[in-house]
Amino acid sequence: MVTSAPKTGPAPFAAAKAKVLGCDRCGTCLPACPLFQVQDVERASARGKNALVRGLAEGLIPPDREAQEALEFCLLCRACTDACPGKVPTDEAMVQVRQALADTLGSTPLRSRWIGRVLRRRRLVGLGAATLAGLRVAELHRLLPPQLVPRETSRRAYLKKHAGPALLGASAPRPEPAVHPGAKVAYFQGCGMKMLFPDASRSTQRILAQLSPFQQPDHPCCGLPHLAHGQREAFLDLARENIQAFEDADLVVTDCASCSGSLKHLTSWFAEDPIWRGPAERFSAKVMDLTEYLVAAGYQPQRLPDATFTYHDPCHLARGQGIRQQPRQLLKQAGKLIELAEKERCCGGSGSFHLEHPEAAAAILQRKQANIEGTGAQVVVTACPGCLIQLTRAADQSEGAFQAMHISQVI
Amino acid sequence: MTSLTTLEPLVLDGFREAVGREHVIESPLEVFGYSYDASFLALDRSTVPQAVVRPRTTQEISRVMAFAHQQRIPVTPRGAASGRTGGSVPLEGGIVLALDRMTSILELDTANMMVSAEPGVRTADLHDHCARQGLFFPPDPGSWKFSTLGGNVAENAGGMRAVKYGVTRDYVMGLEVVLADGSILETGGKAVKNVTGYDLTSLFVGSEGTLGIVSKALFRLRPLPKARGVIRVIFRTMDEACSAVQEMLLDGVTPSAAEIMDATCLEAVARARNTRVEPGAGACLILEIDGDGASSLEAQSLRIDTITRQAGCITFRSAASKEETEAIWAERRGLSSAVAAMAPNRLGEDISVPRSAFPEVVRRINAIASTTKLRIPVFGHAGDGNLHPSVLCDLGNPDEAARAHQAVDGIFKAALDLGGTLSGEHGIGISKRPYFADAVGPVSLATHRAIKGALDPLGLLNPGKIW
C-alpha cells in the first residue's frame, strides 16, 4: 500500500479526472460546501465528489444511475473551489463528468431533460412567458407551486411601500456611458427573467433605455441548464445561435448572473473549433452583467431614503465573475445597505436544483432566510433569477418580514 | 477475519439495531467515500469498507463495538478523514465507525479552565466556543477548521503554536474510551495532579485508533492572549534563520509560532501569488507573538528585531494592520498548495528532530535532493524541530517514482540518525509503517504489541496501522 502511480481509466472520464487531479483530499472544502451541511456524508461533499470522479476514471466505481445521481447533487456554486488551497475546479469537473455519464447512460433526471427541451425552443420560452403572464393577470399562478412560479414582487408595489406614489415614474439622471461611448448595447433577456420575473426584466429595460437606445435581438437560452445536465451539443448549438444573434451589438448586457457567467465563458468551449473560436471570443468579450455595465456607464440610481436593503451574492456573479462591488455601489446609492451574514453562501436555487432536490434546497434556504431576517432589512436584493426564485420563497415564508427583488427593481 | 465481501444481512441488522437503520451506510457508492483520507495513498478497491456505521452516543459506540467483537468484524474509527498518513483508511474491510455525528461540546468549566467535548467536534469550533469565554484551546493543526477532536487525540495532532503551547497531548486531562469489546473506560479527570495508577490517558493519545475509540475528551485551557502580532523575517540561509530561533528561545522570547520556509518554498509562494522573491533570500521566518497588550508585543518585537539582525536578516517586517497580518499568514497557509503546484505529485513528509539538529537535517535533505535529482522544498515549525520536506516528482514516471521513494527513505534515515523521529504530528498510520520497527527498536515494538494484545486481543481495532 505505498503510493502508486495514477492509473489511467475509462476514457470518457479522463477530462473530468484531469480537473480533479489537484485534489489531495485534505478536507478544506467540507465546511465550505452547503450540501455537506445538509447531508453530512462524504458523497455529498466536494471532496467526496472529486473522489467519485477519480473512482469512475480508475474503474473503481461503476458508471451507473447511482453515480449519476450523486454527481447531480452539486450546486455548482464554487464555494469549494474558493476555499480549496489548490483551487480544484470541482464545478467544472461536475459538468464534465455529468456529460460523460449522460453520454453513457442518457440524461437524467427527467425534469431537467424536459426543461432542457423547453429552453432550447425560443417559441416555447415565449409561450411559457405569455402563459405565465396570463395566469398572473388572472391571479391563477398562485395555484401552481411557488418553486415553479415564484410570486414576483413588482417594482410598483415596492415603490408604493417604501417611497410613496410621488416617486413613481421619476426618471434617474442620464449620465454619459463611460464605457464605449456610442456603443450599440443589446439586452440579453434570459429565460428565467422572461418567464418568471417579467416585472424585473421590464425594470432592466427601463434602466437600459435611460442610458442609451438598446436592441433586443431575438435569441435563445444561454445554454447553462443544458451544460449542467450533460447536454453539451444542445449548449453548443445555442451558443452558436447567440453568437450570431448578437453579431451587431458592441455590448451584450444581461440581468441574469447565470447567463452572463456562461456567456462570458464561451471561448473555452470553442477553443478547438477553427470556425467558431474567433466569433466566440469576440462575443464573450462584449458580455457584461447589468450591474457591471451600469457602474461603468455611470448610472445613478434613484435614492429612496427609507429603503433598507441587504444583498445576496449570486454564486455565478461573485465567485463566477468576481462582481461584488458594483451591485453594492448601486445599492448604497439607492438606499441603506446592510451586509448579510454568509452573503456569498449559495441560496440553494442553482438552476433546477431546487426542483430536483427540494428538501436539500429548502434546508439551505432556511439558513439563508435566517441570515436575511437577522439583518432587519426590508428588501433582500439579488441579481440572478435563479436566486430570486429561492429568495422569493424565503420572503413568502418570512410572512412579510422582508421582500425579495431583483436589483433592477430597486435602483 | 471477515473477507472483503458484503456483510451478511444479519450482521448489518446488528449494526442497524445499535445505531438506527438510517445511520448505517452500505451502498457501494457511498462507502467508497470512506475508503480514503488526506494521505498520499492512491484510491484502492481494497480499502473500501463493507459498511459505515455512524453512532450518536457513547452507548451506541459501545453496542457497535460489542457486536463487532462478537462477530469478529474489523473496525476503523474515522472523524473528518483529514489525517495525512492513512490512519482512518480501512485496510481490512469491516466497518468504518464514523464519529462525525458526535458534535456536542458538553461542558465548559470556566472555574477549572477545562472543556469536555465529543469526538466529532471540529477543532476550530471548540477553539471559538472557548474563546467566547476568554479561554484558549491552543492546539491548531493546519486542518483545524475541519479536523475533529477525536482524530486530534488519536493522532496527537500538533500545529503551529506548538513551540510555545505544546501539542494536543499537553491539553488532554481525561478521556472516555470505548474498548474493543464494548466496555467503557474512563481515564484522568479534572484534578490537575493525578498519580493514581498508570497514565492511561497518555496511552490513548496518539494511539491512532488501535487501542480504543475516544468517545469524550476533557481538555485543559489557558487564558486567551489579549493581543497578537505577526513578523516576517528574510535571511540569506536556513542556518541563519534557525540560529535566530535558537537565540530567541534562549533569550526568553518565545514566539507562539515560528514557521520556516526555504528558498524553493519562497519561490513557490512567489509564483503562486505572482510576486517576487527578495534578492539573496534563502529562508523566511514567519513569527507570531502574543501577549497582554500592545506594549508586550512591542517589547517582544524589539527583542526579535535585535536578535534577527545579529543573525544576519535581510528584511524584517512587523505587520502594522489586520490586512498585513492576513497577508503574511496567507503566504504560510498557501504554502502547501503552492509547493504542490510545482510538480505532478508531492510526497509531503513529516519528521521531527531535536531543535538543534534542524539546520543539519535540512542540509542532509538538500544532499538527498541532489543525489536523487529531485526537488525537495522544506518548510516546517522551526521552533519545535518539526519539518515537512515535500518530495516533488512525477509518479507516472517509474524511474522518478523509484527515486522519490528512495528520497523518502533517506529523509527518514536522516531524521533517525540525528536523534529525531518519523513523525512530529501526523502519526505513523499506513504510510510510515515500514519504518516503525527500525525507529523504535525491538523492545519498544514488543511492548507496543503487548499493550495492543492486552486491549484488543482479536486485533479488530484499526488493523494494519503503525506496525
Side-chain angles (χ1 to χ4, degrees), chain B residues 66-253:
Chain B
F67 183 70
H69 197 252
Q70 183 208 335
Q71 298 286 325
R72 307 277 196 274
I73 291 167
V75 177
T76 304
R78 181 191 189 272
S82 56
R84 288 288 192 187
T85 54
S88 62
V89 174
L91 279 187
E92 297 188 16
I95 62 163
V96 159
L97 188 73
L99 297 153
D100 51 359
R101 292 179 59 231
M102 297 183 67
T103 56
S104 298
I105 296 172
L106 302 165
E107 186 202 10
L108 179 58
D109 178 350
T110 48
N112 284 307
M113 292 170 69
M114 285 185 204
V115 66
S116 65
E118 290 182 337
V121 173
R122 287 184 195 143
T123 321
D125 290 345
L126 187 76
H127 175 278
D128 295 349
H129 184 86
C130 299
R132 282 193 280 275
Q133 298 294 322
L135 291 168
F136 183 35
F137 178 66
D140 65 336
S143 55
W144 78 312
K145 284 196 177 159
F146 42 94
S147 65
T148 52
L149 297 172
N152 289 357
V153 171
E155 301 288 329
N156 189 16
M160 296 199 260
R161 298 190 188 117
V163 53
K164 182 166 182 174
Y165 294 107
V167 296
T168 303
R169 161 166 288 131
D170 301 312
Y171 294 87
V172 184
M173 293 296 293
L175 295 172
E176 180 186 78
V177 182
V178 181
L179 298 178
D181 63 359
S183 51
I184 300 168
L185 165 73
E186 288 196 30
T187 77
K190 287 185 183 176
V192 174
K193 291 179 166 177
N194 185 345
V195 278
T196 314
Y198 295 155
D199 184 358
L200 295 181
T201 305
S202 281
L203 179 63
F204 286 95
V205 179
S207 65
E208 306 196 24
T210 59
L211 300 182
I213 312 287
V214 173
S215 53
K216 186 166 95 180
L218 174 71
F219 301 102
R220 71 189 179 96
L221 304 167
R222 286 171 162 264
L224 191 68
K226 293 183 177 63
R228 283 210 177 110
V230 175
I231 298 167
R232 179 180 181 274
V233 202
I234 294 286
F235 298 86
R236 271 176 215 88
T237 64
M238 289 288 274
D239 272 6
E240 285 177 3
C242 290
S243 76
V245 175
Q246 303 278 33
E247 287 304 318
M248 274 176 234
L249 297 172
L250 280 171
D251 198 63
V253 183

Side-chain angles (χ1 to χ4, degrees), chain A residues 3 25-26 42 47 59 66 85, chain B residues 27 40-41 45 78 80 337:
Chain A
T3 318
R25 309 193 279 269
C26 68
E42 189 74 15
R47 176 175 74 175
E66 196 187 357
Chain B
S27 123
F40 303 91
L41 302 161
R45 193 172 272 121
R78 181 191 189 272
S337 52

Side-chain angles (χ1 to χ4, degrees), chain A residues 1-7 21 24-31 36-37 40-43 45 47-52 54-56 58-62 64 66-68 70 85-86, chain B residues 25 27-30 32-34 36-47 54 78 80-82 84 89 91 100-101 122 143 145-146 333 337 345-347 395-396 405 430 433:
Chain A
M1 270 298 305
V2 184
T3 318
S4 63
K7 297 168 208 160
L21 273 182
D24 73 354
R25 309 193 279 269
C26 68
T28 310
C29 57
L30 298 177
F36 187 65
Q37 305 304 306
D40 58 346
V41 289
E42 189 74 15
R43 163 189 56 71
S45 72
R47 176 175 74 175
K49 280 181 272 238
N50 289 342
L52 283 179
R54 287 188 80 129
L56 283 165
E58 293 172 13
L60 301 168
I61 293 284
D64 56 14
E66 196 187 357
Q68 197 172 26
Chain B
I25 300 173
S27 123
L29 177 112
E30 292 235 30
F32 176 75
Y34 298 80
Y36 50 79
D37 68 355
S39 62
F40 303 91
L41 302 161
L43 295 177
D44 197 303
R45 193 172 272 121
S46 70
T47 62
R54 306 175 74 208
R78 181 191 189 272
S82 56
R84 288 288 192 187
V89 174
L91 279 187
D100 51 359
R101 292 179 59 231
R122 287 184 195 143
S143 55
K145 284 196 177 159
F146 42 94
R333 278 197 294 267
S337 52
N345 300 93
R346 173 181 65 127
L347 305 181
L395 292 173
H405 290 302
I430 303 168
R433 198 174 39 166

Side-chain angles (χ1 to χ4, degrees), chain B residues 5-68:
Chain B
T5 52
T6 323
L7 289 175
E8 296 290 327
L10 276 177
V11 171
L12 276 172
D13 277 346
F15 288 124
R16 288 179 189 132
E17 225 163 83
V19 299
R21 176 168 291 272
E22 66 275 33
H23 302 303
V24 176
I25 300 173
E26 52 188 290
S27 123
L29 177 112
E30 292 235 30
V31 295
F32 176 75
Y34 298 80
S35 69
Y36 50 79
D37 68 355
S39 62
F40 303 91
L41 302 161
L43 295 177
D44 197 303
R45 193 172 272 121
S46 70
T47 62
V48 180
Q50 288 153 308
V52 177
V53 180
R54 306 175 74 208
R56 179 63 197 90
T57 63
T58 303
Q59 291 310 321
E60 288 183 6
I61 301 178
S62 169
R63 287 205 288 272
V64 169
M65 290 310 300
F67 183 70

Side-chain angles (χ1 to χ4, degrees), chain B residues 254-307:
Chain B
T254 310
S256 50
E259 296 296 299
I260 194 167
M261 45 181 110
D262 71 2
T264 314
C265 293
L266 282 169
E267 185 195 319
V269 170
R271 199 189 290 179
R273 298 168 67 85
N274 210 11
T275 54
R276 279 209 310 214
V277 184
E278 291 92 333
C284 172
L285 269 186
I286 293 180
L287 303 163
E288 185 184 77
I289 47 176
D290 61 17
D292 282 341
S295 61
S296 149
L297 293 192
E298 205 176 315
Q300 291 182 65
S301 178
L302 281 174
R303 283 299 305 145
I304 292 173
D305 190 10
T306 311
I307 290 166

